[in-house]
């Protein structure tokens, strides 16, 4: 059974860098484009971007200047960094895996982490 | 970027009702559309992908249809467990985008 689990600080100060890690268990880590999605409280889902174990990435253009992602294949983990955060970055952050049949990063998602609320404080 | 407009934003219905939610994309997305159900405090759960393919384990009262720029999710006979929020997502091109959601209430 595939499981994803987000971890990281739940509180980040404005102008600092948000850092989250997603640990994957079960399944093949190298077969997928691992994705970050966020959801501000009471609002819709927003795709942030994805990373493949080979290092291929694609990010939402409006976030591209502040986003980076990395993978640690030895631990089956991938990470998100978002710099210069503001209150607008307060959200539940999810890591997700594309549906198994889907190649590439442009996919629907069947496995999600439970989500982690990150609050940006002033 | 492809914009996805979902309607209605909220919907009141009763057990046994048939309900339909619609998503309209700003460009033809070639059936690259999925539907999710989300309950409070939980991650979304995929119901339908490729516009009309039901994910394994999803009850058959859920169905998806559409083509081009307009897609619908239909629940044929609402059950108590179906009261939740629903989102559509286009995955035809980056950036992937989601609809604004539909809150289905009793």
């Amino acid at each position: 059974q595939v499981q994803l689990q987000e971890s990281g600080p739940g509180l980040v100060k404005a102008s600092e860098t948000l850092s989250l890690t997603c640990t994957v268990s079960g399944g093949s880590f190298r077969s997928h484009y691992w994705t970050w999605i966020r959801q501000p409280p009471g609002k819709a889902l927003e795709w942030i971007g994805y990373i493949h174990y080979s290092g291929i990435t694609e990010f939402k253009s409006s976030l591209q200047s502040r986003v980076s992602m990395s993978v640690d294949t030895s631990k089956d983990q991938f990470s998100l960094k978002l710099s210069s955060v503001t209150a607008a970055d307060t959200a539940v952050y999810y890591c997700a895996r594309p549906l198994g049949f889907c190649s590439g990063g442009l996919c629907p998602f069947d496995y999600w982490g439970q989500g982690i609320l990150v609050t940006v404080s002033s | 970027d492809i914009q996805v407009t979902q309607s209605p934003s909220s919907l009141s219905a009763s057990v046994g009702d048939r309900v339909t939610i619609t998503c309209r994309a700003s460009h033809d997305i070639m059936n690259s559309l999925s539907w999710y159900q989300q309950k409070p405090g939980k991650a979304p759960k995929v119901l339908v992908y490729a516009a009309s393919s039901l994910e394994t384990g999803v009850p058959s009262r859920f169905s998806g249809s559409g083509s081009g720029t307009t897609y619908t999710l239909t629940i044929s006979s609402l059950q108590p467990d179906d009261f939740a929020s629903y989102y559509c997502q286009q995955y035809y091109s980056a950036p992937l985008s989601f609809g604004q959601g539909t809150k289905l209430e009793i």
Side-chain angles (χ1 to χ4, degrees):
Chain A
Q1 177 72 353
V2 177
Q3 292 186 334
L4 288 76
Q5 178 70 57
E6 304 91 350
S7 59
L11 187 64
V12 181
K13 292 183 179 179
S15 78
E16 295 188 346
T17 297
L18 176 159
S19 296
L20 297 174
T21 296
C22 182
T23 302
V24 180
S25 57
S28 172
F29 186 78
R30 296 182 176 225
S31 298
H32 301 285
Y33 287 69
W34 301 98
T35 299
W36 289 98
I37 293 164
R38 69 180 182 178
Q39 186 173 35
K43 296 187 178 180
L45 299 154
E46 179 185 21
W47 178 78
I48 299 171
Y50 63 70
I51 185 166
H52 187 256
Y53 87 95
S54 62
I56 296 171
T57 57
E58 185 163 17
F59 306 136
K60 186 172 184 177
S61 57
S62 61
L63 298 173
Q64 189 154 10
S65 63
R66 299 194 291 129
V67 170
S68 65
M69 294 184 187
S70 60
V71 293
D72 184 341
T73 55
S74 68
K75 297 180 180 179
D76 285 358
Q77 292 179 334
F78 62 104
S79 298
L80 168 71
K81 290 187 185 297
L82 182 65
S83 64
S84 304
V85 297
T86 69
D89 296 309
T90 293
V92 174
Y93 286 75
Y94 294 101
C95 54
R97 192 200 83 167
L99 273 171
F101 75 88
C102 188
S103 60
L106 305 185
C107 301
F109 305 98
D110 58 353
Y111 288 101
W112 296 65
Q114 65 185 21
I116 183 169
L117 174 62
V118 179
T119 301
V120 177
S121 68
S122 56
Chain B
D1 296 2
I2 295 177
Q3 312 303 317
V4 179
T5 303
Q6 185 175 339
S7 61
S9 57
S10 64
L11 180 57
S12 294
S14 301
V15 173
D17 284 355
R18 177 185 181 91
V19 299
T20 298
I21 300 169
T22 300
C23 270
R24 290 186 172 83
S26 57
H27 298 82
D28 185 345
I29 56 172
M30 304 292 285
N31 292 347
S32 299
L33 187 107
S34 55
W35 291 96
Y36 298 86
Q37 178 192 68
Q38 186 180 33
K39 296 185 177 179
K42 300 294 186 181
K45 171 189 173 184
V46 65
L47 302 173
V48 171
Y49 61 92
S52 60
S53 295
L54 204 62
E55 171 70 337
T56 303
V58 174
S60 59
R61 62 181 180 273
F62 292 92
S63 63
S65 64
S67 62
T69 61
T70 303
Y71 299 86
T72 59
L73 174 72
T74 299
I75 310 173
S76 60
S77 178
L78 276 173
Q79 299 302 300
D81 190 50
D82 300 338
F83 292 94
S85 293
Y86 293 84
Y87 293 90
C88 58
Q89 176 218 342
Q90 70 80 19
Y91 52 95
Y92 179 72
S93 69
L96 307 188
S97 48
F98 293 85
Q100 290 303 301
T102 296
K103 187 173 184 180
L104 181 53
E105 300 174 303
I106 300 174

